[in-house]
């Protein structure tokens, strides 16, 4: 590659694009327009010079976009040039800070940013991601869209709304094939799919899992499918407290089948004890509910292709009814007189 081509790549590809694809997230509280702080676990990279430069505050490493790829991927210069070339045309998601306007105000509010995005539709890139890659059935997607819970994000990603008790959008989970994060300047409260009056409260760690469990259960009557977005903010705790304090409420810890999921379940158990709410632990057969859904859908597709009839074939366009086995006998459970131990 000629020198002028390399210089053109340096101008066309931002360090922020490299970091976003590498699953770094912006630390909005410690960023400015001139110096954007990105984090990935314990790693920190500061992007400067309008995306053309960077440095690692935990070491002496710094440089341009090619040096960043070398630093992150431990490759040589020629390999870094190839990888940067692969990012030409990659547009970063909207900046994770809100630049000031000349009038001293700020850019659009969260609800305004939410309303400015279209809902997914059959054939859209976000619909393709949710339906074809995540295997969420079309009826479930239509029901979720009807509740104004989904928006088209950048590059075919999904925005799933978090709302407060008044239904005001406080932020959104952003998820795509190559991206995951949360709305810049937003607050994690709860993603809420289902009727507000529902007393069975199924809490997951991600909106994708909440929708997947809803699909598996066929949007079970009397159930509100919730996601904390992987966090546990004071606002999330307050929202769950308000929901579980209602007479007759049952809190279902439908978190992932791993160590983190068990920790979340214990937090939910403690909250249920505090509010006197019934409690149960609902573990997915696979690591999470989306993986469980995908395996089940693949098996149904294979049976259909092989000509084996389905034992409970739903009518066209409908979700299957809830499977009783999702609340199996011998589960972890609790009542208003206390929570049973495992």
């Amino acid at each position: 590659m000629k020198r002028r081509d390399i210089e053109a790549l340096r101008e066309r590809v931002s360090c922020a694009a490299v970091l976003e694809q590498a699953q770094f997230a912006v630390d909005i509280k410690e960023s400015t327009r001139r110096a954007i702080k990105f984090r990935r676990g314990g790693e920190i990279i500061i992007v400067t010079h309008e995306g053309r430069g960077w440095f690692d505050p935990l070491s002496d490493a710094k440089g341009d976009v090619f040096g960043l790829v070398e630093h992150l991927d431990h490759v040589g210069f020629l390999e870094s040039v190839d990888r940067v070339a692969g990012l030409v045309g990659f547009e970063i998601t909207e900046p994770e800070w809100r630049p000031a306007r000349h009038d001293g105000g700020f850019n659009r509010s969260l609800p305004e940013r939410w309303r400015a995005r279209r809902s997914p539709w059959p054939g859209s890139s976000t619909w393709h991601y949710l339906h074809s890659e995540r295997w969420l059935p079309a009826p479930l997607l239509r029901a979720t869209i009807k509740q104004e819970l989904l928006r088209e994000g950048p590059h075919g990603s999904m925005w799933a709304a978090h709302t407060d008790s008044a239904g005001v959008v406080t932020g959104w989970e952003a998820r795509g094939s190559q991206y995951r994060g949360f709305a810049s300047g937003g607050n994690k409260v709860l993603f809420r799919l289902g009727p507000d009056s529902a007393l069975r409260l199924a809490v997951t760690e991600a909106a994708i899992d909440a929708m997947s469990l809803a699909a598996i259960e066929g949007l079970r009557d009397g159930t509100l499918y919730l996601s904390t977005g992987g966090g546990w903010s004071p606002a999330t705790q307050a929202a769950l407290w308000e929901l579980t304090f209602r007479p007759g409420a049952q809190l279902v810890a439908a978190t992932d089948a791993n160590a983190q999921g068990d920790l979340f379940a214990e937090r939910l158990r403690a909250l249920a004890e505090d509010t006197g709410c019934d409690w149960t632990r609902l573990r997915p057969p696979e690591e999470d509910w989306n993986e469980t859904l995908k395996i089940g859908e693949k098996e149904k597709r294979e049976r259909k292709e092989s000509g084996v009839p389905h034992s409970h074939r739903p009518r066209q366009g409908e979700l299957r009814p809830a499977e009783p086995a999702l609340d199996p006998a011998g589960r972890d459970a609790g009542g208003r007189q206390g929570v049973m131990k495992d």
Side-chain angles (χ1 to χ4, degrees):
M1 183 176 289
K2 296 181 179 179
R3 183 179 182 85
R4 66 171 177 269
D5 295 327
I6 292 176
E7 291 300 325
L9 279 178
R10 185 181 283 113
E11 290 299 317
R12 294 180 66 184
V13 179
S14 167
C15 292
V18 173
L19 291 169
E20 183 169 312
Q21 191 172 66
Q23 303 299 307
F24 277 76
V26 172
D27 185 338
I28 182 173
K29 294 182 179 179
E30 299 188 21
S31 295
T32 68
R33 177 178 288 280
R34 294 180 179 273
I36 314 302
K37 178 179 280 190
F38 286 79
R39 292 182 181 271
R40 184 178 67 180
E43 298 175 272
I44 298 175
I45 297 291
I46 310 294
V47 173
T48 59
H49 298 95
E50 297 183 344
R52 303 306 168 209
W54 65 276
F55 67 91
D56 180 350
L58 305 179
S59 72
D60 295 329
K62 61 183 179 179
D64 61 7
V65 66
F66 303 113
L68 179 57
V69 173
E70 292 180 60
H71 177 69
L72 295 177
D73 297 347
H74 307 290
V75 298
F77 178 72
L78 293 179
E79 178 65 22
S80 74
V81 170
D82 286 341
R83 297 190 184 190
V84 170
L87 289 173
V88 171
F90 180 90
E91 298 180 9
I92 61 173
T93 55
E94 56 187 320
E96 296 290 336
W97 66 95
R98 293 189 295 170
R101 294 198 312 246
H102 294 302
D103 60 7
F106 292 93
N107 279 349
R108 293 177 300 174
S109 66
L110 281 162
E112 287 173 334
R113 287 159 57 194
W114 175 262
R115 289 192 295 269
R117 290 280 179 174
R118 295 184 63 181
S119 296
W121 67 94
S124 74
S125 54
T126 298
W127 182 284
H128 175 80
Y129 168 67
L130 292 172
H131 186 54
S132 300
E133 295 186 36
R134 291 295 191 159
W135 293 66
L136 290 167
L140 183 281
L141 290 177
R142 293 190 184 97
T144 310
I145 292 167
K146 187 176 181 180
Q147 278 194 238
E148 290 290 315
L149 294 174
L150 295 178
R151 287 291 188 270
E152 294 267 329
H155 313 296
S157 64
M158 166 210 76
W159 284 5
H162 276 224
T163 58
D164 60 19
S165 59
V168 176
V169 174
T170 63
W172 46 85
E173 295 177 42
R175 182 64 63 88
S177 300
Q178 302 295 328
Y179 176 76
R180 62 184 297 174
F182 198 79
S184 58
N187 294 315
K188 291 182 180 181
V189 183
L190 288 172
F191 170 83
R192 310 170 192 239
L193 173 60
D196 293 335
S197 59
L199 294 178
R200 181 174 178 262
L201 311 169
V203 182
T204 68
E205 298 172 57
I208 290 283
D209 286 317
M211 290 186 285
S212 297
L213 178 58
I216 292 169
E217 294 190 334
L219 280 171
R220 181 167 164 171
D221 289 341
T223 296
L224 184 59
Y225 298 92
L226 305 166
S227 165
T228 66
W232 190 271
S233 68
T236 296
Q237 183 165 335
L240 287 171
W241 181 284
E242 182 179 355
L243 290 170
T244 57
F245 203 73
R246 296 178 298 178
Q250 180 192 46
L251 187 60
V252 180
T255 51
D256 295 350
N258 54 31
Q260 178 174 304
D262 290 339
L263 287 174
F264 265 91
E266 284 304 311
R267 278 186 169 178
L268 293 168
R269 181 202 292 261
L271 187 144
E273 288 180 327
D274 289 342
T275 60
C277 174
D278 287 342
W279 181 90
T280 186
R281 172 73 164 108
L282 188 59
R283 289 184 178 86
E286 306 301 325
E287 184 165 352
D288 59 44
W289 291 110
N290 187 243
E291 190 63 26
T292 300
L293 174 69
K294 287 193 288 187
I295 289 175
E297 291 297 317
K298 288 176 183 177
E299 290 176 349
K300 285 197 293 185
R301 183 175 296 182
E302 289 170 358
R303 285 196 297 268
K304 182 178 180 180
E305 290 174 352
S306 65
V308 177
H310 199 287
S311 57
H312 295 286
R313 186 182 302 276
R315 288 185 295 172
Q316 182 98 15
E318 292 185 355
L319 292 167
R320 292 184 63 190
E323 297 286 353
L326 287 173
D327 282 338
R331 66 191 184 278
D332 300 339
R336 294 184 179 275
Q337 282 69 45
V339 179
M340 293 173 59
K341 301 297 182 181
D342 293 343

